[in-house]
Every structure is written in C-alpha cells, then in structure tokens.
Amino acid sequence: MRPVSITRFRAEIDTLYSPPRRAKATRKQIAQVLREFAELPGVKRTSDLNPATIARWMDAHPGRTVVRTKSLLATFRAACKYAVSQNYISTNPFDFWKPNEWIRDDAEDRPRSTRPVRHKSAADLGRVLDQADREAVRGWEQRRLQALVYTYAFTGMRAGEAMHLYVSEIDLDARVLQIAAKPGWRPKTLKSAKPIPIAPPLAEVLANWLPHTGSAWAFPTRKLDRPWTTGGPGYRPLDAVKELGRRAGVEGLTILGFRKSIGTLAKAMGISQLERKDLLRHTSVETGDYYDEDDLDLLKATIAKIHYPRHQAG
C-alpha cells in the first residue's frame, strides 16, 4: 500500500470526474463528500479512510436525511474504489458495510408524516389539466404550458428531461418520445435515456402544440433559441406550473409533484411496482419507495377492499 495525501487524492478524483466524463452535478457531489471527510480531525492521508472514519463523518452531519446520506455514501464508495485500484488503501471501507447498511430507512429524526408532501391527488391533477385546457386557447405561452404539464402528468419525466426534448425526438405516429443526451445536458442516469410511450391524452395535446413551437426544441423560450429552463421571477417553468395550480385551486403544485404523484398513485391506478420502476426509470424497485408518499385517502380506499365472507347461523 502506498497512501497519498487527501489533498492529492481529491485533486485526482476531481480530474477523473470532470465533464464530459461525468456530469457536473456528480462532480460537485463527490467534491463535497471528499471535502467533508478531509475536514474531519486526523484525516490527512488515504490510509485514514476506514469504517470508523465513515462513522465519524456521519456523526458530524446528524441533520441529513436518510436519502441524502445514502447518496453521499454511494458517491464516497466510488472514490474509495478508485483508491483501492491505485493501492492508496488496502481495502475498501465499504467491504464492511455497503451504503444502504450504514443507516436505516427509519432513522429520520423527523417523522415521515411531518415531511413535505409533494404528490397531489388524481382529482387535483385532473383539475390542473382542465385548467390548462381552458387557458390554452389564449395564446402560444398557454399552449406551451398545457403541453408541458401534460407531458409531466402522463410520463412522470424529470423536469430537465421534458425541457430538453427536441421536436424531432417526439414521434406521434409511433406514439413514443426519446430521452437522449444533448450538448451541455444529459439525463440523470444511463437508464434514464430511453424511449417512453406517449399516452393518448398527451398525444392529442402534443399534436396540437408541436407544429407551433417555431423551434427545434419542444418547449422553447419565447425567443425560440433554447429550451425553456430559466426565466425571470414569475416566468420560470416552475413558477408557471405553480401559478397554474393556484388558478385550478391546487396549492403547492410543483414539477416534481407530477412524478411524485405517479409514484404514490401507482397502486390505486393498478400499476405494479415493476411497472412503476420501468415507467419512472429507476435503477431498482426500492427506489420507487422514495416516490411513494403517505396518502391516508388512498389507504382508506385500500382498507375498504378488505372483505371476509360471513355466514349467519339460521
């Protein structure tokens, strides 16, 4: 084993994770977790990275959510794998416990019932779509918003995935759209870059919208030269979606809320866990649990299905 300084180790990892080899967000996350480990007392060289160091790092950040902690641990494991390959450490500290084994899913200090709930009921989303339909006759921007919310509602796509669609990637005849990397943007994961079927309600809206985009982008800015990913206050896509929700009587609507809603309503809609995994393009069935938020009304409907045949004595 030939350990090196943490400073050198961080520099090498930063070079490896520089775009286009890895996404900017991935590079930022691995830089963050390595910085935090370097800030721990006594961590000066790669030989100081061991299971006990991981435990100290977790203790130094007690307020993090379980999901965020596991995500950072998975990132750090990749860095440790590189360290093993270079003989900077003799064994990977995650040979002891894998990222998912370091913290229980129920380890949150905050009860699940008090966490922000982003999903909306099927009735709420129906009102949002109805509102979008009524407003679409007013002009180009309203038709763009209608097409965007329909895309989120009927595909569960992530915000950037829809906003970075080219018109050419939407095949209405075959009823399929293709998520693919672009210069300066790429999907969150490799599994995310795949074809997605287009449901009939979405196909109808897109058929009315796409001939009028005036751009190569499916959802362009008013200048038509780039995707609608930003804007001034009140003109950002998220602002437009929130305001549409308010006009429909649905407060707190977000773009992520559509994806969360599909994840939560899946069971009630007859969508199996495997089908939900494929639709939302998760790496595992368990990932879908993060999108399945508590919904007492849905649970009441489930409980109402419990039935036991009774035989009255006569």
Side-chain angles (χ1 to χ4, degrees), residues 6 12 16 24 32 36 78 82 90 99 107-108 115 140 149 157 161 174 182 193 219 225 253 263 302 309:
I6 291 296
E12 290 183 11
L16 289 171
K24 292 180 180 179
Q32 174 189 337
E36 291 177 355
Y82 169 73
S90 57
E108 299 275 12
R115 300 177 206 168
W140 186 89
V149 296
M157 293 171 69
E161 292 171 344
K182 314 285 191 308
F219 305 105
D225 59 343
L253 182 66
T302 299

Side-chain angles (χ1 to χ4, degrees), residues 150 172 175 198-208:
Y150 264 76
L172 292 178
R175 294 288 179 89
I198 299 174
L202 174 58
E204 182 179 351
V205 170
L206 289 178
N208 291 328

Side-chain angles (χ1 to χ4, degrees), residues 17-292:
Y17 277 74
S18 297
R21 287 180 291 277
R22 292 294 183 271
K24 292 180 180 179
T26 304
R27 182 189 189 188
K28 181 179 179 181
Q29 177 156 304
I30 201 165
Q32 174 189 337
V33 72
L34 288 179
R35 183 187 70 250
E36 291 177 355
F37 271 90
E39 291 170 350
L40 293 173
V43 178
K44 303 297 182 183
R45 301 179 68 76
T46 51
S47 53
D48 298 320
L49 301 177
N50 53 54
T53 309
I54 295 176
R56 289 199 292 126
W57 170 79
M58 291 178 63
D59 292 343
H61 304 279
R64 282 198 173 124
T65 65
V66 170
V67 171
R68 180 60 175 162
T69 299
K70 286 185 177 181
S71 177
L72 290 169
L73 285 171
T75 302
F76 183 57
R77 180 173 64 170
C80 291
K81 182 178 180 181
Y82 169 73
V84 171
S85 74
Q86 300 302 302
N87 204 28
Y88 293 163
I89 54 178
S90 57
T91 59
N92 193 321
F94 289 95
D95 290 344
F96 176 65
W97 279 338
K98 296 179 176 63
N100 284 338
E101 297 173 316
W102 273 97
I103 184 169
R104 287 173 50 127
D105 289 335
D106 61 357
E108 299 275 12
D109 291 334
R110 184 174 49 162
R112 179 166 177 155
S113 60
T114 66
R115 300 177 206 168
V117 174
R118 295 183 174 87
H119 82 273
K120 299 299 177 184
S121 70
D124 282 343
L125 293 185
R127 286 195 293 272
V128 170
L129 296 177
D130 287 343
Q131 184 69 27
D133 291 344
R134 287 191 292 270
E135 296 181 4
V137 298
R138 299 179 186 172
W140 186 89
E141 291 183 355
Q142 290 78 13
R143 293 172 75 175
R144 176 184 62 179
L145 182 58
Q146 178 200 31
L148 185 63
V149 296
Y150 264 76
T151 300
Y152 289 132
F154 285 96
T155 66
M157 293 171 69
R158 299 178 180 91
E161 292 171 344
M163 294 173 186
H164 287 90
L165 279 173
Y166 286 134
V167 172
S168 60
E169 292 172 328
I170 301 174
D171 187 339
L172 292 178
D173 291 331
R175 294 288 179 89
V176 66
L177 60 83
Q178 175 68 53
I179 297 175
K182 314 285 191 308
W185 179 87
R186 61 183 179 182
K188 183 178 180 179
T189 65
L190 289 174
K191 188 176 178 61
S192 297
K194 61 183 293 186
I196 296 180
I198 299 174
L202 174 58
E204 182 179 351
V205 170
L206 289 178
N208 291 328
W209 161 246
L210 293 178
H212 304 285
T213 62
S215 171
W217 299 99
F219 305 105
T221 62
R222 205 64 177 93
K223 294 182 178 180
L224 309 179
D225 59 343
R226 56 189 175 85
W228 183 34
T229 56
T230 59
Y235 294 94
R236 293 183 290 261
L238 177 57
D239 295 337
V241 168
K242 283 184 176 180
E243 288 303 318
L244 175 65
R246 290 193 183 101
R247 293 192 295 273
V250 179
E251 293 292 332
L253 182 66
T254 65
I255 293 175
L256 177 60
F258 288 98
R259 189 170 170 85
K260 286 277 191 177
S261 297
I262 290 176
T264 301
L265 300 173
K267 295 189 295 291
M269 292 179 174
I271 299 172
S272 70
Q273 286 184 309
L274 286 174
E275 289 172 330
R276 181 183 66 182
K277 170 182 173 292
D278 289 341
L279 174 61
L280 300 182
R281 290 157 290 122
H282 290 148
T283 55
S284 68
V285 170
E286 290 73 21
T287 304
D289 293 339
Y290 173 69
Y291 290 83
D292 186 2

